[in-house]
Amino acid sequence: MSGVADGGAYDVTEPRTEDVPGERPGAPAGTLGVAELELKPALEAVLMVVDEPATEEHLARVLERPRRAVALALRELSDDYARQGRGFDLRLVAGGWRFYSRAEYADAVESFVLDGQQARLTQAALETLAVVAYRQPVSRSRVSAVRGVNCDGVMRTLLQRGLVEEAGMEPETGAILYRTTNYFLERMGLRGLDELPELAPFLPEADAVEGDSPEGIPSFDVDDSGDSQTDH
């Protein structure tokens, strides 16, 4: 748009956003493009809203930066939080990065989360999950044999919550095998199964209980919150 002042023409045309270096087309004046944002604060902002660990490749793509720069910034942020003794830390878990509350403050978090509520998983479910984690891939009846009770109901609960998944069939019997998921690694704060504590030697060998655990063990109608009626 142009106008006239004191008999002369003057130009009052506003500069286009795309003509301003670093600004996004169509964005308000003064708004920086993603690639021009300071990297560490941008990473913090994105990681505050993720609902699962974000990979370095994904973060590099959305922030329009080289993966090496993103990886370095993530590790520097993690070190900064640890050095400052913050109540949270930034961890590489299940192939991606995510914020977690620091272990030293677990009691405070547990008190808040469980205030007036029951624990999300029963003791029976935790025991069953542990057997699957150390024996995987493992059939449902072998899990029941290790625990000494029928685990059909608890296995259904773990499947529904995404902590375990089907992993094919056992060649000898045709029984469905189960394994833990990436979500399990995420919730446990593990990079991989090799970081599980060394507890496997304390579990009985499958061969020792095979005679008491025929495939096709009958199921029971159970409440999703626990084991079957045989679980005491």
Side-chain angles (χ1 to χ4, degrees):
M1 179 174 61
S2 62
V4 178
D6 297 330
Y10 63 90
D11 187 4
V12 293
T13 302
E14 295 182 357
R16 294 179 302 169
T17 302
E18 56 266 35
D19 293 336
V20 181
E23 294 191 351
R24 292 181 290 110
T31 302
L32 293 178
V34 172
E36 284 70 39
L37 295 172
E38 189 176 346
L39 181 54
K40 288 183 180 179
L43 285 168
E44 291 175 323
V46 171
L47 291 171
M48 285 294 291
V49 299
V50 300
D51 55 7
E52 60 183 19
T55 65
E56 293 172 359
E57 294 89 344
H58 190 188
L59 291 169
R61 184 169 65 254
V62 299
L63 296 179
E64 303 175 12
R65 305 297 178 86
R67 177 186 172 182
R68 179 176 297 182
V70 168
L72 178 61
L74 288 166
R75 283 163 176 78
E76 289 179 350
L77 283 172
S78 181
D79 291 342
D80 288 343
Y81 300 146
R83 184 170 57 255
Q84 295 166 9
R86 306 296 290 270
F88 60 90
D89 60 6
L90 181 58
R91 282 186 257 160
L92 177 61
V93 173
W97 291 85
R98 188 177 182 182
F99 285 119
Y100 290 86
S101 57
R102 198 171 295 280
E104 294 92 313
Y105 302 99
D107 289 343
V109 175
E110 181 180 15
S111 178
F112 176 79
V113 173
L114 300 182
D115 183 27
Q117 305 178 37
Q118 293 183 345
R120 292 185 177 183
L121 288 178
T122 63
Q123 183 66 30
L126 290 172
E127 291 174 3
T128 301
L129 184 58
V131 175
V132 174
Y134 284 102
R135 289 296 188 190
Q136 62 185 306
V138 62
S139 66
R140 190 179 307 191
S141 66
R142 288 191 176 179
V143 175
S144 297
V146 172
R147 290 201 57 228
V149 294
N150 184 281
C151 298
D152 287 4
V154 183
M155 287 294 290
R156 285 197 294 271
T157 297
L158 296 176
L159 281 165
Q160 292 169 356
R161 299 189 181 187
L163 294 167
V164 301
E165 63 185 2
E166 294 185 4
M169 301 180 68
E170 194 171 48
E172 298 83 2
T173 65
I176 297 175
L177 298 174
Y178 297 91
R179 65 188 175 197
T180 54
T181 62
N182 278 339
Y183 180 62
F184 164 80
L185 294 177
E186 177 188 341
R187 300 302 296 175
M188 294 295 293
L190 303 174
R191 291 185 178 87
L193 294 173
D194 57 337
E195 291 191 353
L196 283 169
E198 291 294 330
L199 297 179
F202 297 97
L203 294 174
E205 292 297 327
D207 293 343
V209 294
E210 183 67 24
D212 297 327
S213 59
E215 300 295 340
I217 188 168
S219 299
F220 296 84
D221 291 332
V222 299
D223 187 319
D224 269 352
S225 63
D227 275 344
S228 69
Q229 297 173 359
T230 60
D231 191 356
H232 300 293

